[in-house]
Amino acid sequence: MASLNKIFLIGRLTRDPELRYTQQGTPVGNFTLAVDRQFKSQQGETQTDFIKIIVWRKLAETISKYIFKGSMVFVEGNLQIRKYEDSNNIKRTSAEVVANTVQF
């Protein structure tokens, strides 16, 4: 059986996207997407997840020009789990979505 790793999200940017370039000159951008859960808490409050989104190349340059804090976007991508050590040598795990498509 083949595996599948697809994520579809609709939410609002919590801040303007950041655009950087790798040492090889490849554009890479990131932003955080606030996505409300469909279910409310027992107190009737909506819960929100804040999901880190990574974009590469032309898409990174495009989103840095046209979307901003508060923009509603649709993201299609893949879940990526990274393991790393922080500056205090503590092992950490980070979950992020590498976007293939961002529609706004």
Side-chain angles (χ1 to χ4, degrees):
M1 174 179 270
S3 61
L4 179 64
N5 180 353
K6 282 286 183 200
I7 302 283
F8 299 95
L9 301 166
I10 296 175
R12 293 192 182 274
L13 274 71
T14 62
R15 59 181 167 77
D16 290 344
E18 293 180 15
L19 178 64
R20 298 180 291 108
Y21 292 88
T22 66
Q23 290 180 346
Q24 295 77 24
T26 305
V28 58
N30 70 75
F31 57 91
T32 301
L33 198 63
V35 179
D36 290 338
R37 294 184 185 178
Q38 289 185 334
F39 302 102
K40 296 185 183 216
S41 69
Q42 290 182 337
Q43 294 76 27
E45 298 172 349
T46 300
Q47 296 181 337
T48 304
D49 293 307
F50 298 91
I51 302 168
K52 185 174 182 178
I53 309 294
I54 309 296
V55 291
W56 288 92
R57 298 175 185 78
K58 184 70 175 165
L59 182 56
E61 293 177 320
T62 300
I63 65 120
S64 72
K65 291 179 186 175
Y66 297 108
I67 66 173
F68 48 88
K69 180 180 178 178
S71 295
M72 176 76 75
V73 297
F74 165 80
V75 173
E76 175 271 318
N78 307 93
L79 181 63
Q80 172 178 285
I81 308 295
R82 288 187 307 115
K83 295 181 185 227
Y84 64 96
E85 282 189 19
D86 67 13
S87 58
N88 297 320
N89 295 324
I90 298 172
K91 293 182 180 185
R92 303 279 184 184
T93 301
S94 174
E96 54 203 20
V97 173
V98 179
N100 298 318
T101 303
V102 177
Q103 295 180 3
F104 43 95

